[in-house]
């Protein structure tokens, strides 16, 4: 058994710094590169891409990235684990194999985790007793069943462990939990038992720290952010894991950002609910048990984590077509920028009313004044404000209403208040609103499948 | 004595459906005693009047000198449905740090 392993976070979301995983591989020693690409509604975007082209439906950044890092990964035996397979992990794996062939790599095993996409077998699964009610509202899935775009089960770490056991150098999954990507190599390397919930929880907490990339190493840090150096070359976090569940969070030498008690603690409280019950398919981690010790020099020791047995349910992430929305903006300058922006809002509301359109919601916000803190925004002195941007948005199930709204923004330049500008992007177009439907289903009704594709 | 939260805490916020999570971390143990005592769910609910339309739940993490607040019915429907500029509640931790507390 290895004495320790280093697991490096390469992406916090699809759209994160393109070069981050490259730097993780190149700027120091690591054993694993883990990359989270999937936000809650990403699956529906990928599903649409797959409908247009059956070879798409995964994060197409992956083959491009692999072209840059694969030779080094092979040479140094760095394994890559990602959920960027989206709704087409096989196509993603095949693309990686193609890259390997082009690079002249003649031995590469890509593990693929399948089975999370249950859209086509949904009727069977419902017939077998899965209710799939909305976890937040308790509504029945039958109310949106005709509008479903994607239905995916969140698998945990164990299918990835199986792929690693089968010798995979690269593991590509569909909807796997972000935390499972980091936990899996610990289970595999240290032989952790699936009933040792304290260890599984320790790996899960490490996964939570890594899953948002540089948010654990100084990015978006609301504490003493002015003292953080070199954001331009921010280092992404690395979990140095030990067999007893101790994990040291760090980053490569010479990179920007900071790993400290404070930066790690901020990430630990990010997007959590009840900290005693952090539920994953692998375990239920207790965030109130975590001990953090700042060792200095961008090293934070995490230990003492406890947790409990996993639940009998998988979380299911469904996306469905909801309607349309559009958003447009105009910028009003001094004098009386806010007064004019507010008057423009009223004019626009009146015009939409006269057009007899149908909207579920209309919203006006004043950027530069209260768009973020709303009722908590400080009152402003109109003489001292240089400009305000009116951001006006609508949502409707009626396409024509949203499209018509888009034609009402630009006319305000010639038919409303003075000293206004900022309309250059053309008419706001209706965009499809794809909504998210979280649900639970018994674990017994679905089984992950692990395949190996190799050169 | 009046204390500004921004002088004794930092934090981070994000979305959980239509609820926002606001995690607040005290800079030191004294600061944690203050927020533990004064930063009640009721007080946070009142602070976010006109923003948070549901209940506010508080969870304590003394190991991190932190409190986690869940603000229900806050993000205009949440996720992709929300028309809000800050649909994910990313700036709400900073909004909470605007609070001033009168302490004994």
């Amino acid at each position: 058994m290895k004495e320790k392993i280093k697991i490096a976070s390469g992406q916090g979301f699809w759209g994160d710094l393109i070069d981050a995983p490259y730097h993780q591989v190149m700027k120091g020693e690591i054993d694993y590169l883990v990359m989270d690409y999937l936000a809650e509604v990403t699956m529906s975007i990928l599903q649409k891409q797959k409908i247009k082209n059956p070879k798409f439906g995964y994060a197409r950044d992956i083959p491009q990235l692999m072209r840059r890092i694969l030779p080094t990964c092979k040479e140094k035996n760095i394994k890559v684990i990602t959920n960027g397979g989206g709704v087409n992990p096989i196509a993603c794996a095949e693309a990686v194999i193609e890259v390997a062939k082009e690079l002249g790599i003649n031995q590469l095993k890509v593990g693929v985790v399948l089975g999370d996409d249950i859209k086509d077998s949904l009727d069977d699964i419902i017939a077998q007793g899965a209710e799939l009610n909305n976890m937040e509202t308790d509504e029945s899935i039958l109310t949106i069943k005709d509008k479903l775009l994607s239905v995916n089960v969140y698998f945990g770490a164990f299918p990835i462990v199986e792929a690693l056991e089968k010798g995979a150098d690269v593991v590509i999954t569909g909807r796997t939990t972000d935390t499972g990507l980091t936990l899996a190599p610990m289970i595999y390397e240290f032989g952790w038992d699936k009933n040792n919930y304290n260890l599984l929880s320790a790996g899960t907490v490490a996964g939570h720290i890594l899953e948002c990339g540089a948010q654990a190493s100084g990015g978006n840090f609301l504490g003493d952010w002015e003292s953080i150096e070199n954001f331009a070359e921010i280092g992404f976090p690395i979990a140095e894991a030990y067999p007893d569940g101790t994990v040291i969070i760090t980053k490569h030498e010479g990179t920007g950002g900071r790993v400290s008690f404070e930066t790690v603690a901020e990430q630990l409280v990010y997007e959590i609910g009840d900290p005693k019950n952090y539920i994953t398919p692998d375990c239920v981690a207790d965030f109130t048990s975590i001990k953090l010790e700042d060792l200095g020099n961008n090293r934070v020791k995490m230990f003492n984590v406890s947790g409990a047995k996993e639940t009998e349910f998988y979380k299911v992430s469904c996306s469905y077509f909801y309607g349309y929305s559009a958003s447009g903006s105009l910028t009003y300058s001094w004098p009386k920028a806010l007064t004019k922006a507010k008057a423009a809002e009223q004019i626009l509301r009146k015009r939409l009313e006269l057009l007899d359109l149908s909207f579920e919601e209309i919203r006006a916000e004043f950027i530069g004044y209260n768009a973020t803190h709303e009722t908590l925004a400080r009152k402003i002195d109109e003489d001292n404000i240089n400009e305000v941007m009116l951001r006006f948005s609508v949502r409707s199930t009626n396409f024509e209403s949203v499209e018509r709204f888009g034609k009402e923004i630009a006319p305000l330049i010639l038919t409303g208040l003075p000293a206004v500008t900022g309309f250059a992007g053309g008419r706001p177009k209706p965009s499809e609103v794809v909504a998210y439907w979280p649900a639970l289903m018994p674990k017994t009704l679905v089984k992950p499948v692990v395949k190996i594709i190799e050169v | 004595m009046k204390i500004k939260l921004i002088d004794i805490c930092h934090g981070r916020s994000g979305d959980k459906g239509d609820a926002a999570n606001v995690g607040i971390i005290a800079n030191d143990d004294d600061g944690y005693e203050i927020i533990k005592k004064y930063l009640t769910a009721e007080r946070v609910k009142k602070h976010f009047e006109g923003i948070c339309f549901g209940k506010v739940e508080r969870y304590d993490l003394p190991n991190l000198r932190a409190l986690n607040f869940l603000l229900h019915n806050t993000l205009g429907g949440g996720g992709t449905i929300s028309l809000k500029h800050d649909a994910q509640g990313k700036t709400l931790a900073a909004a909470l740090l605007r609070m001033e507390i009168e302490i004994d």
Side-chain angles (χ1 to χ4, degrees), chain A residues 217-219 221 224-235 251 254-259 263 298:
Chain A
S217 51
F221 177 52
D224 185 18
W225 53 270
E226 284 161 295
S227 70
I228 302 239
E229 289 176 357
N230 198 6
F231 276 110
E233 295 173 281
I234 195 161
K251 63 185 185 72
T255 57
R258 180 188 300 156
V259 176
T263 63
N298 292 303

Side-chain angles (χ1 to χ4, degrees), chain A residues 280-347:
Chain A
T280 75
D282 307 306
C283 60
V284 179
D286 179 358
F287 275 42
T288 67
S289 66
I290 303 165
K291 295 258 191 285
L292 288 185
E293 186 185 343
D294 197 326
L295 305 174
N297 197 26
N298 292 303
R299 289 172 70 79
V300 172
K301 183 175 161 186
M302 187 211 55
F303 59 106
N304 194 57
V305 182
S306 64
K309 185 176 168 43
E310 81 276 17
T311 74
E312 287 169 7
F313 298 93
Y314 278 127
K315 190 173 174 185
V316 183
S317 149
C318 313
S319 67
Y320 65 100
F321 173 74
Y322 187 93
Y324 302 91
S325 68
S327 193
S329 59
L330 290 170
T331 302
Y332 290 86
S333 85
W334 185 94
K336 295 198 173 176
L338 182 60
T339 303
K340 288 184 292 182
K342 284 186 168 174
E345 176 204 347
Q346 294 311 319
I347 295 167

Side-chain angles (χ1 to χ4, degrees), chain B residues 28-99:
Chain B
D28 55 33
D29 292 343
D30 291 345
Y32 182 66
E33 290 308 314
I34 292 171
I35 59 172
K36 194 172 93 175
K37 182 170 175 192
Y38 293 96
L39 202 54
T40 58
E42 295 70 38
R43 194 172 212 133
V44 171
K45 167 81 182 165
K46 193 161 182 349
H47 183 73
F48 284 106
E49 204 174 350
I51 299 174
C52 171
F53 298 100
K55 65 176 174 181
V56 170
E57 292 174 288
R58 174 180 132 171
Y59 299 99
D60 295 15
L61 296 99
N63 52 324
L64 301 176
R65 304 191 300 256
L67 304 176
N68 183 41
F69 295 93
L70 271 187
L71 280 52
H72 293 271
N73 194 0
T74 295
L75 297 177
T80 50
I81 293 177
S82 176
L83 294 180
K84 284 192 164 194
H85 189 49
D86 186 14
Q88 291 164 323
K90 297 270 187 191
T91 67
L92 291 179
L96 182 53
L97 295 189
R98 284 176 176 272
M99 190 191 286

Side-chain angles (χ1 to χ4, degrees), chain A residues 113-118 125 130-133 135 151-160 162 175-177 194 279-283 310-318 436-450:
Chain A
V113 177
L114 301 164
D116 62 297
D117 184 347
I118 56 165
I125 285 167
E131 287 191 338
L132 299 170
N133 287 356
M135 279 169 71
V151 186
N152 293 81
V153 178
Y154 280 82
F155 288 144
F158 285 95
I160 300 172
E162 188 184 331
R175 185 65 272 190
T176 290
T177 55
K194 70 176 176 50
I279 301 170
T280 75
D282 307 306
C283 60
E310 81 276 17
T311 74
E312 287 169 7
F313 298 93
Y314 278 127
K315 190 173 174 185
V316 183
S317 149
C318 313
Y436 172 64
W437 182 281
L440 295 173
M441 68 178 275
K443 281 181 172 168
T444 48
L445 296 184
V446 62
K447 244 184 128 53
V449 177
V450 177

Side-chain angles (χ1 to χ4, degrees), chain A residues 222 366 368-380, chain B residues 2-11 22 24 35 39 43-44 46-48 51 91-102:
Chain A
L222 188 55
F366 302 95
Y369 171 49
N370 69 351
T372 54
H373 290 179
E374 304 184 52
T375 52
L376 290 162
R378 285 200 189 113
K379 297 293 164 271
I380 50 163
Chain B
K2 212 171 222 179
I3 281 189
K4 292 180 176 169
L5 267 193
I6 191 147
D7 291 334
I8 62 165
C9 299
H10 58 111
V22 180
I24 293 297
I35 59 172
L39 202 54
R43 194 172 212 133
V44 171
K46 193 161 182 349
H47 183 73
F48 284 106
I51 299 174
T91 67
L92 291 179
L96 182 53
L97 295 189
R98 284 176 176 272
M99 190 191 286
E100 293 181 0
I101 301 178
E102 189 71 48

Side-chain angles (χ1 to χ4, degrees), chain A residues 174-248:
Chain A
R175 185 65 272 190
T176 290
T177 55
D178 313 343
T179 52
L181 305 176
T182 298
L183 169 61
M186 301 186 200
I187 297 171
Y188 168 67
E189 295 281 0
F190 304 141
W192 287 353
D193 190 275
K194 70 176 176 50
N195 297 317
N196 193 327
Y197 304 113
N198 291 346
L199 289 176
L200 299 186
S201 295
T204 297
V205 172
H208 183 89
I209 294 170
L210 259 52
E211 75 182 32
C212 293
Q215 262 206 151
S217 51
N220 194 22
F221 177 52
L222 188 55
D224 185 18
W225 53 270
E226 284 161 295
S227 70
I228 302 239
E229 289 176 357
N230 198 6
F231 276 110
E233 295 173 281
I234 195 161
F236 274 45
I238 294 169
E240 192 179 291
Y242 293 82
D244 69 352
T246 300
V247 177
I248 290 172

